[in-house]
Structure formats: structure tokens, C-alpha cells
Amino acid sequence: MSTTSKPDRAALIIGASRGLGLVLANELARRGWRVIATTRRSGGELQASADAWNGRLTVESLEMTSPEQLAALRERLERQEGCRLDLLFVNAAIDRGNLPIHEVSTDMFAEVMTTNALSPLRALEALRGLVAPGGTVAVMSSDQGSISRNTEGGYELYKASKAALNQLMRSYATRHADDGQTKLLIDPGHNQTQLGGPDAPLIPQESIPAVVDVLEAQTGAPGLQFLDRHGETVPW
């Protein structure tokens, strides 16, 4: 594989074993970024990509829902000489089907909310100290989390989890308003992934390069923004 520019930029991608996260890790590496990507299980497509990039893409093990593993990852990265990130991107979400909320079990509700809303913010808090001044912290969201756009039925728990994620990110941005870091919620569109399904209108290989364009264009921007893959504002 070839590279294009600025090999000194560094990114940490949380959740890159497949789908959007995997394509994101590869796209950043293609553009010359040094990428650290996490996965819950060793091997697979992510490791194959790391082998192909000859050191530009490295793999770390992480179960994002575990505070202990987040702390251990931070400690491992802190021990790496010169590990300062220009981008921390959290990409993780699960969906447990299209049930009306009254049919969702308490355990299912807790699982989805923990994975989609609580754990991404725990990851940001655990790892934000590795991000350089002027760097970016970003989370993969969805227009499914837009309350004002919720005019069609279905997937109530998933929508609620993404709305909760967006709200928690607003709280995070308020608490860290003076840290000089760019903060982004990204809606990549409806993609053909395990989560999005085979009939989605987009494929990650087309949408993720546009997402990276947005990430690069927003470097240094103040405050928190909720943007789609075209850089347009998504309504809350």
C-alpha cells in the first residue's frame, strides 16, 4: 500500500475490527497518518491491514465497555515514546433489533445504552489526555440520534442510545470547553455494515473518505459540532 502525505499525524481509532472503523483506519493510513486501532479480538481483517501497512497501522486489544481495559490501554500508550494523538475517534455501536420500547428488556436496554452512550464517553475521558493541544476528539453518531428528525417509526432503543450519546457529548464539551480540542459528532450516513444491513444505500469505502475530509477540514475548529459526511450540520 502507498501513502500520500504528512506521516507525522497520529490517530487512535476505538472500534476498528470491521465496517466503518476498519475502513476509517485504512483511509487515515492511506493519507499518511500513523494509526493505532483497537479490536476486542486479535487477528482478522484489522490485523491483515496492519501487516500490509508495515508499521503505519498498529493494533491494540480493547473491550471498550471495560474501564479497567481503558485504563490499561492509556498506560500502554503513555509508555510509548512520543505518543501524542492528533485524533481520537470512538467508533462503537450495537443494535438489538427493531422493538418498540415497551418490549425491550431491562438487560437489553442496559447493554445498548452502556455500549452506545456510556462507554464512548468513558473512552474519551480515559484517553483525552493523550490528544495534543489543537487535536480532535470525535465520536461516530448517527442522524438516528437527531430528535428533530425522528419522524418515522422503528428502532426506538437504538435511536434513544444515539440521542443519549449526543447529549452526553454536549455535557463533555461543556466540561472541557477550554481544553483547545476540536469536538465532533459524525453521522456517516446509512452504510452497508453489520449494523446498517445489506440494503443500505452507502458503502463505507465511499462514505468514509468523505468523513476523513470533514475530520481534516475541522482541525482546530472550536466547540462541538454534529456533522454529516458532507460537513453539513445535523439538527439536534
Side-chain angles (χ1 to χ4, degrees):
M1 295 184 180
S2 62
T3 61
T4 55
S5 64
K6 295 185 179 180
D8 56 333
R9 294 176 296 177
L12 171 59
I13 310 301
I14 305 297
S17 61
R18 62 176 185 264
L20 296 171
L22 178 63
V23 177
L24 176 61
N26 277 292
E27 178 64 18
L28 288 168
R30 186 188 70 79
R31 297 189 188 205
W33 290 67
R34 179 169 54 87
V35 181
I36 305 164
T38 75
T39 178
R40 291 180 296 170
R41 302 178 184 86
S42 60
E45 291 183 81
L46 180 59
Q47 187 58 57
S49 293
D51 294 341
W53 282 113
N54 297 317
R56 184 169 299 287
L57 172 59
T58 58
V59 179
E60 288 281 350
S61 176
L62 177 70
E63 170 52 67
M64 185 190 66
T65 61
S66 167
E68 294 78 15
Q69 289 196 28
L70 284 169
L73 174 62
R74 182 186 66 239
E75 292 173 5
R76 292 197 302 272
L77 296 179
E78 286 174 339
R79 290 196 296 267
Q80 295 181 14
E81 184 177 355
C83 184
R84 294 296 278 172
L85 303 173
D86 299 287
L87 171 65
L88 167 59
F89 197 108
V90 181
N91 169 62
I94 59 172
D95 172 31
R96 291 296 181 253
N98 186 12
L99 296 174
I101 197 65
H102 63 279
E103 294 182 12
V104 171
S105 70
T106 300
D107 287 346
M108 182 187 295
F109 185 88
E111 178 193 22
V112 172
M113 284 292 184
T114 297
T115 302
N116 293 4
L118 175 60
S119 294
L121 271 297
R122 280 179 171 168
L124 291 189
E125 291 289 359
L127 301 166
R128 60 182 298 275
L130 298 172
V131 180
T136 298
V137 294
V139 180
M140 196 76 84
S141 186
S142 169
D143 70 348
Q144 295 284 291
S146 169
I147 292 175
S148 61
R149 285 187 175 177
N150 186 11
T151 58
E152 297 180 3
Y155 296 94
E156 295 177 21
L157 177 54
Y158 180 78
K159 289 177 178 178
S161 72
K162 286 300 186 179
L165 170 68
N166 294 350
Q167 183 73 289
L168 290 173
M169 191 64 176
R170 288 292 290 262
S171 296
Y172 173 93
T174 299
R175 275 187 290 110
H176 299 298
D178 299 324
D179 65 3
Q181 294 174 356
T182 296
K183 303 168 185 70
L184 299 172
L185 287 159
I186 297 293
D187 165 32
H190 187 190
N191 283 266
Q192 293 177 21
T193 62
Q194 188 176 56
L195 187 66
D199 298 324
L202 301 172
I203 60 172
Q205 290 76 10
E206 294 176 349
S207 59
I208 287 300
V211 166
V212 177
D213 287 344
V214 173
L215 294 172
E216 293 183 333
Q218 292 298 324
T219 299
L224 170 66
Q225 298 180 82
F226 185 11
L227 303 176
D228 66 15
R229 69 187 185 282
H230 304 297
E232 299 296 326
T233 297
V234 182
W236 297 94

